[in-house]
Amino acid sequence: MSTVRDGARQVMAWLHGWTGLLLGWVLFVMCLGGTLSVFKPEIGRWMRPETVATTDRAAALTAAGAWLSRNAPNSFGWYLTLPNDRMNTVEATYDPGTGFVYRALDPVSGAPAPRETLGGEFFYRLHFELQLPYPWGRLLASLGAMVLLLGLITGIIAHRRIFKDFFTFRPAKGQRSWLDGHNALGVLALPFHLMISFTGLVTLASLNMPWAINANYGNDMAAMFQAMQPGQIDRPVAGRPAVLAPLAPMLREAERRFGGRPVGRVTIAHPGDAAAVVTMFRDDASQIAYAAGAVSFDGTSGRVLADATEKRPALQTYGVAYGLHLARFAPLATRWLYFLCGAMLTLAVASGMVLWVVKRRERAPLGLGNRVVERLNAGVLAGVPIGCVAFLLANRLLPLGLAGRAETEVSVALWSAGAAVLLAATLAPKRSWPLLLTLLALGCAAAALPGGAYGDAVQTGMSLTLLAAALGTGRLAWRQWCRPAFAPRSRVRTQPA
């Protein structure tokens, strides 16, 4: 029996290592983007320091609707997220005829914020789309979530003393030190890691398992969405122009039907058409479940067309799993807990990638494939954070009136990360690691300097967080300048890998 258990653990360890290697860099990008997305609204506010006005939701919705009526009257839909305690702009997505665009609208004037930027939306999209076209980015992220869950389960099975070794850390011991750190990062927040990987799969369930949808609805996705959300009405365009009714009375009626709970999202289908439909969704910041209630109105008369609060157990369970992953319900302390656990998961993935190389280097000289992995580790694990910091710096340095400013910020981030990967590919790891970590520390410090100048609590908190990241990364960079990066202390053995 002991032999069988040992054999099973060896198989699990093999599966854990190879699945982690094949998608480790993708998982690192996903985990880093997801961790930063915990503070998506706060990052957006930090990146729009000129937009400080606040008002109630009804006034903000009215202002946004008026601006969209003038500037996107022919869009087939407006998709709005209303201001709340964490965000003071109206997030609007619409199609002016050239493809979907995202704008943060001033809550008072309704006009776009003067500093055009994706803000925290960039990290949110990076998390589950990886800056790839639909549906390829989401499919890759879905595969990554499967591999993450598989890696967690196989890691638990493979490690016979996982909780005992959690309390053990042996510094300056090469492979043993990296394994101790990897175990500690994985075990300390293990319930969170399992929850976030499983619920991540749930959020992409229609991509993971489309067969039930196809069997019941075929290609009629409208019927599927109608069954999932009966409070949201979909009807064809009438082809007759009509003026949109005032939105504020609809919002107040929806909140009355929600029992006084606020509206969080609003969709307006076919604005400017006689068949326009306005749908109000209950704010999910006041509940764990995602989008548990909706009220639809006739866009021209304001008459209620449908009112539904989700009570079906299966869909309530789905909504709770979705809500747990998004964490929009979380108060400040819980958001920081999400952030810290996400950071540990990101570091666990990174340490696992480094451990792969260290483990093989202590057994024998590295082969070509492992030398490539070693250099890509430096490029991706340091380069992707450099790209994120470059995104923040571009937000501060690019001119406000630059055409396509938001897209330029994203380009700066991607080109900076690509340059870091290229630099790591050309330099030896003992040179690329300290150099890239130094650049990352300097970038964090530079991004923090302008952020606190506006006196806002969010601005100051963001700047302090960046300064803390700069100090931590700078200390790590200094240690690597003083000692070759991640060099093992033990004697190299000659048996084959």
Side-chain angles (χ1 to χ4, degrees), residues 7 62 144 224 326 386 484:
T62 299
M224 188 272 290
L326 296 178
I386 286 174

Side-chain angles (χ1 to χ4, degrees), residues 19-144:
T19 54
L21 175 68
L22 293 176
L23 281 180
W25 298 308
V26 172
L27 287 174
F28 177 78
V29 175
M30 290 173 58
C31 293
L32 179 61
T35 300
L36 296 174
S37 296
V38 172
F39 290 106
K40 171 178 172 280
E42 289 79 6
I43 292 173
R45 288 188 66 170
W46 184 87
M47 297 182 74
R48 302 182 188 96
E50 298 85 3
T51 306
V52 295
T54 58
T55 186
D56 62 87
R57 295 173 190 244
L61 177 59
T62 299
W67 186 87
L68 288 167
S69 295
R70 294 190 301 270
N71 293 274
N74 298 319
S75 175
F76 63 82
W78 303 337
Y79 307 90
L80 311 176
T81 302
L82 300 185
N84 54 34
D85 294 339
R86 301 171 60 193
M87 179 181 69
N88 65 334
T89 56
V90 178
E91 292 189 342
T93 303
Y94 58 95
D95 183 3
T98 57
F100 275 107
V101 296
Y102 167 88
R103 293 289 184 270
L105 306 181
D106 186 280
V108 176
S109 68
R115 192 177 294 260
E116 183 189 342
T117 177
L118 288 180
E121 185 75 11
F122 168 73
F123 300 111
Y124 179 60
R125 296 289 172 180
L126 182 67
H127 169 57
F128 73 95
E129 289 186 333
L130 301 164
Q131 287 298 312
L132 296 175
Y134 179 86
W136 308 112
R138 297 189 186 193
L139 286 171
L140 184 57
S142 176
L143 180 61

Side-chain angles (χ1 to χ4, degrees), residues 66-434:
W67 186 87
L68 288 167
S69 295
R70 294 190 301 270
N71 293 274
N74 298 319
S75 175
F76 63 82
W78 303 337
Y79 307 90
L80 311 176
T81 302
L82 300 185
N84 54 34
D85 294 339
R86 301 171 60 193
M87 179 181 69
N88 65 334
T89 56
V90 178
E91 292 189 342
T93 303
Y94 58 95
D95 183 3
T98 57
F100 275 107
V101 296
Y102 167 88
R103 293 289 184 270
L105 306 181
D106 186 280
V108 176
S109 68
R115 192 177 294 260
E116 183 189 342
T117 177
L118 288 180
E121 185 75 11
F122 168 73
F123 300 111
Y124 179 60
R125 296 289 172 180
L126 182 67
H127 169 57
F128 73 95
E129 289 186 333
L130 301 164
Q131 287 298 312
L132 296 175
Y134 179 86
W136 308 112
R138 297 189 186 193
L139 286 171
L140 184 57
S142 176
L143 180 61
M146 294 181 194
V147 167
L148 178 58
L149 185 60
L150 177 64
L152 290 169
I153 295 172
T154 54
I156 294 170
I157 297 173
H159 204 302
R160 69 177 68 194
R161 300 184 307 172
I162 187 169
F163 291 103
K164 180 179 179 181
D165 285 353
F166 164 69
F167 297 99
T168 304
F169 182 70
R170 287 152 283 195
K173 297 293 184 182
Q175 175 187 337
R176 176 50 60 186
S177 299
W178 281 102
L179 183 59
D180 288 345
H182 182 68
N183 290 338
L185 290 166
V187 175
L188 181 60
L190 183 59
F192 173 85
H193 299 340
L194 290 169
M195 180 275 292
I196 210 70
S197 57
F198 174 74
T199 55
L201 279 173
V202 170
T203 63
L204 297 171
S206 60
L207 287 176
N208 301 328
M209 297 177 292
W211 308 286
I213 296 174
N214 293 337
N216 285 279
Y217 302 101
N219 295 323
D220 190 358
M221 292 295 100
M224 188 272 290
F225 284 116
Q226 180 65 44
M228 288 279 288
Q229 182 53 271
Q232 184 172 11
I233 297 298
D234 182 30
R235 59 187 184 183
V237 178
R240 300 189 309 274
V243 178
L244 193 65
L247 297 173
M250 300 185 207
L251 183 139
R252 288 191 286 269
E253 174 63 18
E255 290 182 341
R256 186 189 69 80
R257 291 171 179 261
F258 292 152
R261 294 184 179 181
V263 169
R265 295 183 298 115
V266 179
T267 66
I268 303 172
H270 319 309
D273 187 84
V277 178
V278 178
T279 305
M280 308 272 181
F281 296 90
R282 197 168 77 189
D283 188 5
D284 51 12
S286 60
Q287 64 204 18
I288 295 179
Y290 173 79
V295 180
S296 288
F297 301 85
D298 182 273
T300 58
S301 68
R303 176 175 55 88
V304 174
L305 299 176
D307 178 2
T309 298
E310 189 54 67
K311 298 184 184 301
R312 291 168 288 184
L315 288 181
Q316 283 184 314
T317 303
Y318 171 80
V320 169
Y322 204 157
L324 281 172
H325 191 84
L326 296 178
R328 291 174 181 163
F329 68 92
L332 181 60
T334 307
R335 290 199 298 274
W336 274 110
L337 185 61
Y338 262 76
F339 181 85
L340 293 174
C341 291
M344 283 188 282
L345 181 57
T346 305
L347 292 173
V349 173
S351 61
M353 296 300 297
V354 174
L355 179 61
W356 172 275
V357 175
V358 172
K359 182 178 180 180
R360 280 149 184 80
R361 186 169 53 202
E362 291 192 349
R363 291 178 178 177
L366 292 178
L368 176 61
N370 286 323
R371 288 201 300 273
V372 171
V373 171
E374 185 179 34
R375 296 199 175 202
L376 284 177
N377 274 345
V380 175
L381 303 183
V384 173
I386 286 174
C388 294
V389 171
F391 177 73
L392 301 179
L393 284 172
N395 172 259
R396 291 299 196 235
L397 298 177
L398 292 174
L400 291 184
L402 180 67
R405 191 179 187 280
E407 292 77 10
T408 303
E409 287 182 359
V410 174
S411 297
V412 168
L414 298 180
W415 281 107
S416 298
V421 173
L422 183 61
L423 182 64
T426 57
L427 293 178
K430 67 179 181 180
R431 295 286 178 261
S432 61
W433 271 112

